[in-house]
Amino acid sequence: MGKRYYCEFCDKLFADNPTNKRNHLKGVFHQRMKKLHYDAFKDPEEILKEESCKMPCRQMETTGDCSFGDSCRYSHLTTERRQTLEKQVQAKRDAALKAQQEADREVRLEDWLVMRQKSGDASGPVSAQVAPPSLPPENAESPPVYSLPPALMMIPNLPPSLLPPPPGTNLQASREEWG
Ligand SMILES: [Zn+2]
Ligand SMILES: [Zn+2]
């Protein structure tokens, strides 16, 4: 039994001799399988971008094959493959959007503005509400309400470090650590 050569790209086993091997590696099928394999590691958006710069390959379109194989300067992207890639790009965008929305949820300015509006109605002008840290809380049931200066309120999506502490936060407690 002679030596056998196995091509992992094509999942094909054949007699291992130089002619077979060379013909196989040069073959269109092998080239396509190899490209598909490496494309799997490429960003689908990148592939689409690269392919959209090329004209479609006439030979590929008419015969379903191209003698230039991988080195063809025209696009070999099939409609199905394009659709698959587009779906992948869309799925990636959806995931990114979802992650963004989750991040936004943590610092939702609108919610905070509503909260501020409510507490503002109850206890007078907002601008006067920044309690000086040196003053002790009036009593335990109504802790001081911290608010932003109007200039900062114009900026959407403030970083959490700039947002006022949630109501009830006892800033007095940690004051000594900073002293
Ligand atoms: Zn192969
Ligand atoms: Zn071609």
Side-chain angles (χ1 to χ4, degrees):
M1 184 177 156
K3 252 173 85 185
R4 300 277 227 152
Y5 174 81
Y6 174 67
C7 178
E8 287 185 349
F9 296 114
C10 310
D11 190 26
K12 259 189 185 169
L13 200 63
F14 49 87
D16 191 2
N17 63 61
T19 319
N20 263 3
K21 208 162 165 177
R22 193 173 52 239
N23 283 344
H24 177 76
L25 294 181
K26 262 168 52 184
V28 176
F29 182 75
H30 173 80
Q31 302 267 338
R32 197 185 305 156
M33 293 311 280
K34 195 171 145 192
K35 185 164 169 23
L36 274 177
H37 175 79
Y38 285 114
D39 277 356
F41 298 103
K42 260 180 161 181
D43 188 30
E45 204 166 355
E46 190 125 317
I47 302 170
L48 280 175
K49 216 165 99 187
E50 278 174 17
E51 295 298 324
S52 66
C53 302
K54 302 178 195 165
M55 298 280 287
C57 175
R58 281 275 181 81
Q59 207 184 133
M60 195 64 153
E61 271 185 344
T62 47
T63 67
D65 245 338
C66 175
S67 49
F68 292 100
D70 216 11
S71 53
C72 181
R73 64 194 180 97
Y74 298 107
S75 175
H76 287 176
L77 203 63
T78 60
T79 312
E80 298 94 76
R81 178 102 175 102
R82 183 186 302 277
Q83 282 167 351
T84 307
L85 288 171
E86 276 164 358
K87 267 184 208 149
Q88 284 171 350
V89 171
Q90 193 55 51
K92 216 174 143 192
R93 279 189 194 145
D94 288 347
L97 194 71
K98 213 177 147 209
Q100 180 63 51
Q101 282 168 346
E102 250 142 53
D104 283 351
R105 205 163 296 146
E106 286 169 28
V107 188
R108 224 185 314 185
L109 184 65
E110 283 81 3
D111 284 2
W112 177 78
L113 281 173
V114 169
M115 230 170 63
R116 175 187 158 276
Q117 188 69 49
K118 281 183 190 153
S119 60
D121 288 343
S123 46
V126 189
S127 51
Q129 276 180 22
V130 182
S134 55
L135 288 180
E138 287 160 43
N139 57 57
E141 268 113 75
S142 64
V145 176
Y146 300 95
S147 186
L148 282 180
L152 276 181
M153 306 234 356
M154 306 301 289
I155 306 166
N157 297 321
L158 278 173
S161 59
L162 280 181
L163 291 173
T169 306
N170 189 358
L171 291 186
Q172 307 296 322
S174 55
R175 197 152 52 102
E176 273 175 39
E177 286 170 34
W178 289 87

